[in-house]
Amino acid sequence: MRSSFFGNMEQGQQLPGHFASQNSKMLRVHLNGDVLARQGSMVAFQGQMEFDYEGSGGIGKFIKKQMTGEGVPTMRVKGQGLLFLANNADDVHLFYLENEGITVNGSNILAYDAHLQSDIQRVQGAGIATGGLFNTTLTGTGWVALTCHGSPVMLDCGRAPTFADGQSAVAWSTTLQVGVNRTFKAGALIGRGSGEAMQLAFQGQGFVLVQASEGPLGVPQA
């Protein structure tokens, strides 16, 4: 898995493939075919393009979206030219998947290659403890563009046990084992407490992308 965080991506640099960083807040897609993007994320384009609503991809995915609240409304963009995408001036972070997978909070998805497989799955190990946590899983070979509140940090879980606030963890490798780390103490019931009673715990070989925020786009906590 290649990431713009480790690639030292410069402003306007063209990376291998057709996704590139126009700047830290905007994605540039060199379109020659089709791509799936967040509805309403188009800020400009040059060339000939068509924008169509993208359905859930079958009754199964539709039911999952309705039951879990996970996922993001998407549009299919077809044509040729330059497509510019952004969402609320959030920071844009790129991943290139090479026959692998990433699990991500659907609210943080900006765009991804149309040939990637997507599904909504329960986060293994989290379950009821985090309020029934579901994320969107993208697998295959191709580009994924995510948005983050502020500049994120990429943590290599193979180096040490890794923990992240459930509302700050934006995405992680599907190869990781995920659980819940409880640090709740009786003292947290007195006064203000620490406010950090539960975190997601990650083990294995892979990466976690953590945003500089515990804002409303993060995943729910119990």
Side-chain angles (χ1 to χ4, degrees):
M1 182 184 298
R2 286 183 287 156
S3 162
S4 57
F5 185 87
F6 290 108
N8 295 321
M9 186 169 55
E10 302 293 340
Q11 179 173 329
Q13 178 182 350
Q14 174 67 49
L15 298 178
H18 63 275
F19 279 31
S21 170
Q22 181 62 31
N23 54 54
S24 64
K25 310 292 185 182
M26 189 178 300
L27 171 68
R28 183 177 73 247
V29 181
H30 291 246
L31 190 61
N32 185 20
D34 58 353
V35 68
L36 294 178
R38 182 186 185 92
Q39 288 183 20
S41 63
M42 187 276 291
V43 295
F45 69 92
Q46 293 179 305
Q48 300 294 324
M49 299 185 189
E50 297 180 357
F51 299 82
D52 297 312
Y53 168 77
E54 181 70 12
S56 300
I59 187 65
K61 287 186 179 180
F62 175 79
I63 293 175
K64 285 183 179 181
K65 284 187 176 182
Q66 295 301 310
M67 293 183 62
T68 66
E70 171 60 20
V72 60
T74 56
M75 60 183 178
R76 184 177 294 268
V77 188
K78 300 179 181 179
Q80 294 182 330
L82 295 178
L83 172 65
F84 299 90
L85 302 173
N87 186 47
N88 294 327
D90 285 342
D91 280 19
V92 176
H93 191 88
L94 301 182
F95 286 93
Y96 186 74
L97 305 181
E98 298 178 283
N99 194 28
E100 54 194 333
I102 186 174
T103 180
V104 57
N105 185 339
S107 298
N108 294 89
I109 294 176
L110 180 62
Y112 58 93
D113 276 323
H115 57 263
L116 290 176
Q117 298 296 313
S118 66
D119 196 8
I120 296 174
Q121 298 181 352
R122 180 186 296 273
V123 175
Q124 297 298 319
I128 298 176
T130 53
L133 177 58
F134 292 84
N135 267 7
T136 298
T137 300
L138 299 171
T139 57
T141 297
W143 285 102
V144 178
L146 307 180
T147 57
C148 300
H149 289 177
S151 299
V153 60
M154 180 77 80
L155 302 177
D156 184 351
C157 300
R159 294 186 175 184
T162 302
F163 307 91
D165 182 271
Q167 293 178 301
S168 299
V170 171
W172 55 86
S173 307
T174 55
T175 53
L176 293 175
Q177 296 179 348
V178 184
V180 173
N181 181 51
R182 299 177 181 275
T183 60
F184 185 82
K185 298 180 181 179
L189 296 175
I190 304 174
R192 297 179 61 184
S194 69
E196 303 294 342
M198 184 182 299
Q199 305 92 35
L200 294 179
F202 302 92
Q203 293 183 340
Q205 297 298 317
F207 301 93
V208 178
L209 184 69
V210 181
Q211 65 183 0
S213 170
E214 296 180 354
L217 290 185
V219 294
Q221 288 183 312

